[in-house]
Amino acid sequence: MSSPSSDPAPEDSTGLTPGGSVPPGETPPAESGVSGVSDRQPSLPSARTNKLVYVIVLGVVVLVGLMFVAYAVGLL
């Protein structure tokens, strides 16, 4: 059992030329690009904040490394 097609019949569609194409002016114009940023961009952290983060990460890495060394020395 087949259902009827939901596509409109070309002969009933308005704005089509005999070949099935659409003449100029029948379609809306293409969207132009975005003219600007819609949201305010966040300010970047200062150089001091970046250095502080690097120091904290480096400190954690050194502490973890020292824990591995202490664990290895304890096993010997």
Side-chain angles (χ1 to χ4, degrees):
M1 183 172 180
S2 64
S3 61
S5 174
S6 62
D7 293 333
E11 58 273 357
D12 295 336
S13 299
T14 59
L16 293 178
T17 61
S21 63
V22 180
E26 284 290 323
T27 57
E31 179 181 340
S32 62
V34 177
S35 62
V37 179
S38 61
D39 292 330
R40 186 178 67 81
Q41 295 295 314
S43 59
L44 296 175
S46 67
R48 181 177 156 214
T49 304
N50 288 336
K51 289 178 184 176
L52 180 64
V53 169
Y54 282 128
V55 168
I56 290 172
V57 169
L58 182 64
V60 169
V61 168
V62 168
L63 285 176
V64 170
L66 287 174
M67 286 181 2
F68 278 116
V69 169
Y71 183 71
V73 169
L75 290 179
L76 295 176

